[in-house]
Amino acid sequence: MGGRTQIGGAASVALRPALESPRRPARVLAAFPLAVYLEVRSEYEPHVIALVSGEAARLPNAVVLAAPLDRLPLGDECWVGEGSIGVGRVGIRVRRWWDPAPPLGSAEPSRLARALTHLDDICDRSQRRPGLDIAGAPGLLASGCLAGSLVDGIVAAERLLGLGPGLTPSGDDMLCGLLVALRHLGLAAGAPRAVWLADWLAAAVTYDARARTTPISATLLHCAARGQAGSEVLGVLRAVAGHQPLDPAARRLLGLGHTSGADLAWGLRAGLAAVLALRSWHGSR
């Protein structure tokens, strides 16, 4: 590490296996003013690491840097491991860790029902809209989850995987929102059927995600499958559970990207509605 510029960082615990393993080669996959994405040569997930400044969205696969990085050329060789990352002439040492899947605790169904109505109203009044027609595969996914139908859910999830343009296609963002909502809110509300559904849908969408969508999106799907999410998504989950105001949290989420925030919000809404339905379903059997 001699001769390198040293930067500290706070890493998601999702990255602990990659960062604490022996050094592995990586390359610059994408570079933007506030974020640089590295693709690690590994068969394990997450295989894409986001190096972000404090102003960027804190993704579940992120290392938040204490200082910004200079723009790096695509394909530039780097390495990851032994608690550090080497990029060009910069060495990044992980100083602390943060959890992208903190537990919500318990949440009363009546509170969640009121939050769903409020969240629906916020999203309906927003100018931000999902990138896909929700009457198509998203609608099938939502109705399948409401009914607790694994077959309908998997069929719709397969159609959504990789659907849409960009680094994170709209279909993938919708799936990410849905998966984390089913898992976290299902646990919080005592809806085991929702958690069961999250497990099976997660297995279906991650099975061949690398071959069907972008590397960045595949990594985020693997994170969502474990209940790991970015800070804006976690903020809405905390708000829905009653731990902070919903309006500012929802606005922050909806402001992400061109359609990513609205796509994630759609998934959260569909997941929350399913949790409420499946809790009643569970209680009636």
Side-chain angles (χ1 to χ4, degrees), residues 105-207:
S106 61
E108 289 295 324
S110 59
R111 178 183 292 276
L112 296 183
R114 291 193 299 271
L116 177 58
T117 299
H118 191 181
L119 183 57
D120 282 343
D121 182 61
I122 294 170
C123 292
D124 290 345
R125 287 188 284 107
S126 173
Q127 295 183 351
R128 297 296 186 107
R129 290 289 181 266
L132 298 176
D133 180 0
I134 61 173
L140 176 61
L141 179 63
S143 62
C145 290
L146 281 172
S149 171
L150 182 59
V151 172
D152 288 348
I154 288 179
V155 168
E158 289 283 344
R159 292 181 186 176
L160 280 176
L161 185 59
L163 188 60
L167 292 174
T168 59
S170 289
D172 296 346
D173 285 333
M174 289 177 165
L175 288 167
C176 284
L178 176 79
L179 289 174
V180 296
L182 286 173
R183 184 170 304 283
H184 284 285
L185 298 175
L187 288 170
R193 181 77 177 185
V195 181
W196 173 85
L197 188 59
D199 287 337
W200 280 99
L201 289 176
V205 301
T206 57
Y207 175 72

Side-chain angles (χ1 to χ4, degrees), residues 31-268:
F32 303 96
L34 299 180
V36 174
Y37 296 90
L38 308 182
E39 185 173 27
V40 184
R41 294 176 187 169
S42 169
E43 62 186 32
Y44 302 108
E45 292 294 344
H47 73 289
V48 173
I49 295 176
L51 306 177
V52 304
S53 72
E55 300 173 1
R58 192 173 68 178
L59 299 172
N61 60 326
V63 178
V64 183
L65 304 179
L69 287 176
D70 293 331
R71 182 65 71 92
L72 298 166
L74 298 185
D76 204 20
E77 294 295 322
C78 43
W79 54 262
V80 172
E82 299 175 0
S84 299
I85 298 171
V87 186
R89 300 302 303 168
V90 176
I92 300 163
R93 169 66 66 174
V94 174
R95 305 292 185 190
R96 56 193 178 89
W97 301 88
W98 55 274
D99 186 1
L104 289 177
S106 61
E108 289 295 324
S110 59
R111 178 183 292 276
L112 296 183
R114 291 193 299 271
L116 177 58
T117 299
H118 191 181
L119 183 57
D120 282 343
D121 182 61
I122 294 170
C123 292
D124 290 345
R125 287 188 284 107
S126 173
Q127 295 183 351
R128 297 296 186 107
R129 290 289 181 266
L132 298 176
D133 180 0
I134 61 173
L140 176 61
L141 179 63
S143 62
C145 290
L146 281 172
S149 171
L150 182 59
V151 172
D152 288 348
I154 288 179
V155 168
E158 289 283 344
R159 292 181 186 176
L160 280 176
L161 185 59
L163 188 60
L167 292 174
T168 59
S170 289
D172 296 346
D173 285 333
M174 289 177 165
L175 288 167
C176 284
L178 176 79
L179 289 174
V180 296
L182 286 173
R183 184 170 304 283
H184 284 285
L185 298 175
L187 288 170
R193 181 77 177 185
V195 181
W196 173 85
L197 188 59
D199 287 337
W200 280 99
L201 289 176
V205 301
T206 57
Y207 175 72
D208 58 350
R210 279 206 196 185
R212 296 193 52 194
T213 189
T214 67
I216 294 172
S217 200
T219 290
L220 294 177
L221 282 165
H222 276 272
C223 288
R226 296 188 290 267
Q228 298 163 344
S231 57
E232 291 79 9
V233 171
L234 295 175
V236 172
L237 289 174
R238 287 193 296 270
V240 164
H243 303 310
Q244 65 184 56
L246 181 55
D247 284 83
R251 286 195 297 268
R252 284 192 295 271
L253 176 61
L254 289 168
L256 290 179
H258 183 58
T259 66
S260 284
D263 295 326
L264 287 162
W266 182 93
L268 291 175

